[in-house]
Amino acid sequence: MLTFVLLVGLYVLSVVTCGYVSWGNQNSNLQNRENELDKPSSQPHIIFILADDQGFRDVGYHGSEIKTPTLDRLASEGVKLENYYVQPICTPSRSQFMTGRYQIHTGLQHSIIRPTQPNCLPLDNVTLPQKLKAVGYSTHMVGKWHLGFYKRDCMPTQRGFDTFFGSLLGSGDYYSHYKCDSPGMCGYDLYEGEEAAWDQDRGMYSTLMYTQKVVSILASHNPRRPLFLYLAYQAVHSPLQVPSRYLERYKSIPNLHRRKYAAMVSCLDEAVNNITMALKRYGYYDNSILVYSSDNGGQPMAGGSNWPLRGSKGTYWEGGIRAVGFVHSPLLLRKGTRCRGLVHITDWYPTLVTLAEGSLEEDLHLDGYDVWEAISEGLPSPRQDILHNIDPIYTKAKNGSWKAGHGIWNTAVQAAIRVGDWKLLTGVPGYSDWVPPQTFSSLLLTNRWHNERVRWDRGKSIWLFNITADPYERVDLSQRYPQVVKRLLLRLVQYNKTAVPVRYPAKDLRSNPQLNGGVWGPWYKEEEEEEEDSDSNLLTNHLGKRRRKKKWRRKYKQKRKSRD
């Protein structure tokens, strides 16, 4: 009897076990079929991190006293871009990244888009996220927009991004997300999509808040589907604010601005580390391309350093336009290298669209080049020149003239161009001193800059440098090589023929946040646009009728004369 019970027990156990194994195999087969339908895309995940106002020297691998272990490691394992250029201020760099086009071709040649201006990145430009979205990418933006918002069509979610979390303006308080543009013009600036993110605001420091948002996006997205993530940090733009725990590391820096700035960079470095770990944790890393870039040079008065480069943010000297940049990716063919080929911020558009298996139509009129082979394989860069800018409404150089420009160009106009090794500047290029890192003596002259002031070039309006031989712009060669000057001036003339009118409208008082629930946001209503279009059509029709009447009268008079 006992033997029979044991045999029955073994039989039941075997049936249950086999049944379990069989069910497991069926489940496995179903899972395999699902996996076949959900194969990983060959398109790489693209993560573009844009720092704000980080100076050329303000990274460990450029010799800074600021500790950036994450950026140093990612750059050393990837490709350092050591001949990489951006624009000298915020809006122009962001517009060129988004469109792959020079400022002169979008009308954003002058200054930045200000909060009160009815202006934005022109709507007829196809943006990078729009191109990526067209080939199946999920597109997300976190951080600072600064490309205009006066009407709804200008918002990030209308320009190609599936989601947006961040600020619309150029700067603001890191904790309260509040910004005053002028007395009486103050408002809140934190958005989720197209609405103010009141419920998302917990007074968190923006670098940490944006990083948390990025990690949540990575956690919720399917890594088998291609992702474009544009993370435009507010850091390390002024105001100089940072959690106190980061300040402890820099007690040895006597200058308070530099100390706070250094702490902000360290916080940013830690944030990038957290994002890199999330890419690995959630399965993106092996098929990802991470690009890191600053949007312009550092501002010495706000703690930044571009040493040993000349000048600062807002200028066309190398300190304003030569940027920290690198690419980190398992997909790179030659890792741990330096790319010394010329690379410009407009180049990311064609480079990333091509990597994403997108198309580049001729009617995009791009100024950027596909530089992936130069970065990944060390091949020569296809880029041989850069139009840094032509700004026809910037303050004119008092001593500028057509004569100084050899009758080719009026040197009173602010312009800068790079062709091969040569760089030419005309007009007023901006603050031109060399400013060493601000580690001053605590005894004397602690509140003065140990800079090299330039007095001898105040009467000048044209400069020429060989940037390869003289990257610090210490030897002006414009008198020695007049033929090179003429050749570069002719290139400026050619570029200027393709320029569109500058978009820089007057302040619109309707932009006041107090008229919009205390929030910076779109104030130009769609009904107004329709009315304006209608008024414009009426005016066009009216003018057309007047022209037709005049034309008819002229013909009538001519007929009468011929009869007479």
Side-chain angles (χ1 to χ4, degrees):
M1 184 66 180
L2 181 61
T3 305
F4 176 75
V5 171
L6 285 172
L7 286 170
V8 170
L10 286 170
Y11 173 76
V12 171
L13 181 62
S14 67
V15 169
V16 171
T17 305
C18 289
Y20 174 78
V21 171
S22 175
W23 175 84
N25 286 336
Q26 284 181 337
N27 188 56
S28 177
N29 291 334
L30 284 169
Q31 222 167 19
N32 288 336
R33 277 197 288 272
E34 285 176 9
N35 289 344
E36 283 175 16
L37 294 170
D38 194 25
K39 286 181 179 177
S41 169
S42 60
Q43 299 160 295
H45 303 298
I46 298 168
I47 300 90
F48 194 98
I49 300 176
L50 189 66
D52 200 345
D53 286 12
Q54 183 177 10
F56 181 79
R57 187 181 178 86
D58 297 329
V59 64
Y61 66 84
H62 280 171
S64 178
E65 76 276 29
I66 301 174
K67 299 172 180 64
T68 57
T70 301
L71 300 182
D72 295 351
R73 176 178 55 80
L74 293 176
S76 66
E77 293 172 357
V79 176
K80 297 173 183 174
L81 307 178
E82 297 295 14
N83 203 2
Y84 173 52
Y85 289 86
V86 294
Q87 295 309 111
I89 45 180
C90 303
T91 295
S93 282
R94 291 157 208 274
S95 73
Q96 295 194 0
F97 169 63
M98 279 289 156
T99 65
R101 306 181 72 201
Y102 290 144
Q103 292 156 266
I104 64 164
H105 296 144
T106 58
L108 300 175
Q109 300 96 308
H110 182 68
S111 190
I112 58 172
I113 294 176
R114 303 196 177 277
T116 57
Q117 285 182 313
N119 194 15
C120 72
L121 182 69
L123 301 179
D124 57 353
N125 287 267
V126 180
T127 66
L128 176 60
Q130 285 172 332
K131 292 296 288 181
L132 296 177
K133 195 171 179 178
V135 289
Y137 274 74
S138 178
T139 58
H140 303 271
M141 180 182 171
V142 176
K144 170 179 163 177
W145 177 236
H146 206 186
L147 286 173
F149 58 88
Y150 78 104
K151 58 183 178 180
R152 184 173 172 271
D153 289 347
C154 301
M155 297 285 280
T157 45
Q158 298 292 320
R159 305 309 304 272
F161 288 106
D162 294 327
T163 68
F164 167 63
F165 179 74
S167 63
L168 298 174
L169 276 61
S171 63
D173 190 281
Y174 279 73
Y175 293 96
S176 69
H177 319 298
Y178 201 72
K179 167 73 175 182
C180 287
D181 185 62
S182 61
M185 278 282 198
C186 301
Y188 182 73
D189 181 29
L190 183 66
Y191 269 77
E192 177 92 54
E194 296 176 16
E195 301 295 331
W198 298 107
D199 57 339
Q200 295 283 331
D201 183 10
R202 299 176 182 84
M204 185 182 290
Y205 186 65
S206 76
T207 303
L208 305 178
M209 179 177 64
Y210 291 157
T211 303
Q212 277 191 11
K213 189 67 176 180
V214 169
V215 171
S216 71
I217 291 170
L218 293 173
S220 60
H221 182 74
N222 178 1
R224 291 176 176 273
R225 304 265 56 88
L227 173 76
F228 172 52
L229 182 58
Y230 172 42
L231 173 54
Y233 277 113
Q234 177 183 356
V236 284
H237 195 292
S238 60
L240 299 177
Q241 296 173 300
V242 67
S244 58
R245 67 180 182 274
Y246 295 97
L247 278 167
E248 296 296 316
R249 309 175 190 181
Y250 296 104
K251 289 180 178 178
S252 60
I253 298 179
N255 183 276
L256 184 58
H257 284 175
R258 181 66 174 169
R259 190 188 313 159
K260 285 184 178 178
Y261 177 92
M264 292 168 77
V265 174
S266 280
C267 181
L268 176 64
D269 183 83
E270 185 180 285
V272 175
N273 182 56
N274 289 335
I275 288 167
T276 310
M277 289 193 298
L279 289 171
K280 293 178 178 178
R281 183 187 316 131
Y282 297 115
Y284 297 88
Y285 180 77
D286 291 339
N287 189 33
S288 68
I289 296 169
L290 186 152
V291 180
Y292 183 90
S293 169
S294 180
D295 68 338
N296 48 247
Q299 176 55 270
M301 297 295 286
S305 176
N306 305 304
W307 180 263
L309 302 181
R310 184 177 183 178
S312 65
K313 171 185 176 178
T315 77
Y316 290 99
W317 302 108
E318 292 291 285
I321 55 177
R322 190 170 168 188
V324 173
F326 63 80
V327 177
H328 178 92
S329 172
L331 306 177
L332 290 164
L333 295 181
R334 295 176 75 246
K335 302 180 185 69
T337 60
R338 295 173 186 266
C339 173
R340 300 194 185 278
L342 207 56
V343 178
H344 186 247
I345 194 165
T346 53
D347 298 332
W348 296 121
Y349 188 111
T351 302
L352 298 178
V353 169
T354 303
L355 286 168
E357 302 173 14
S359 59
L360 297 169
E361 301 82 5
E362 283 187 18
D363 61 1
L364 291 171
H365 303 297
L366 298 181
D367 295 304
Y369 294 83
D370 180 355
V371 292
W372 183 250
E373 289 183 346
I375 295 170
S376 178
E377 301 174 41
L379 298 178
S381 173
R383 177 175 286 282
Q384 297 302 311
D385 62 22
I386 299 172
L387 176 69
H388 293 304
N389 198 21
I390 299 170
D391 186 344
I393 66 173
Y394 191 78
T395 306
K396 300 293 186 289
K398 292 179 181 178
N399 295 285
S401 66
W402 286 94
K403 183 180 178 182
H406 301 278
I408 299 170
W409 182 263
N410 182 359
T411 62
V413 175
Q414 186 192 60
I417 190 170
R418 170 82 178 265
V419 179
D421 298 328
W422 298 102
K423 177 182 174 184
L424 182 83
L425 303 99
T426 70
V428 180
Y431 181 79
S432 61
D433 292 355
W434 292 270
V435 186
Q438 299 157 41
T439 51
F440 303 134
S441 164
S442 58
L443 300 175
L444 297 172
L445 306 175
T446 54
N447 60 350
R448 290 185 59 185
W449 311 114
H450 288 210
N451 58 346
E452 298 178 52
R453 295 194 176 278
V454 180
R455 302 185 185 281
W456 46 264
D457 65 355
R458 284 184 179 173
K460 288 176 62 61
S461 62
I462 191 164
W463 297 260
L464 177 72
F465 300 98
N466 184 320
I467 294 298
T468 304
D470 177 25
Y472 313 135
E473 297 172 297
R474 292 185 173 273
V475 182
D476 173 30
L477 301 171
S478 59
Q479 296 294 320
R480 197 181 307 176
Y481 296 102
Q483 293 306 314
V484 176
V485 170
K486 290 177 185 177
R487 181 158 56 87
L488 269 61
L489 289 174
L490 286 170
R491 292 293 292 274
L492 278 179
V493 171
Q494 289 171 355
Y495 271 120
N496 202 40
K497 287 177 181 176
T498 68
V500 300
V502 178
R503 297 167 60 98
Y504 198 72
K507 178 178 182 177
D508 188 338
L509 294 177
R510 293 174 299 173
S511 62
N512 195 327
Q514 303 313 309
L515 305 175
N516 194 26
V519 180
W520 288 104
W523 70 87
Y524 208 79
K525 307 302 178 188
E526 289 181 17
E527 304 83 56
E528 293 173 10
E529 292 175 51
E530 289 173 7
E531 286 174 14
E532 284 199 2
D533 289 342
S534 176
D535 291 344
S536 176
N537 290 335
L538 286 171
L539 180 62
T540 303
N541 291 336
H542 177 64
L543 291 172
K545 285 177 182 176
R546 287 185 62 183
R547 289 192 194 102
R548 284 195 294 274
K549 282 182 180 178
K550 284 181 180 178
K551 193 175 181 182
W552 181 84
R553 282 172 186 159
R554 280 198 301 269
K555 283 184 178 179
Y556 179 72
K557 285 178 181 177
Q558 286 171 355
K559 282 182 180 178
R560 286 196 61 177
K561 281 181 181 178
S562 63
R563 283 175 190 167
D564 296 342

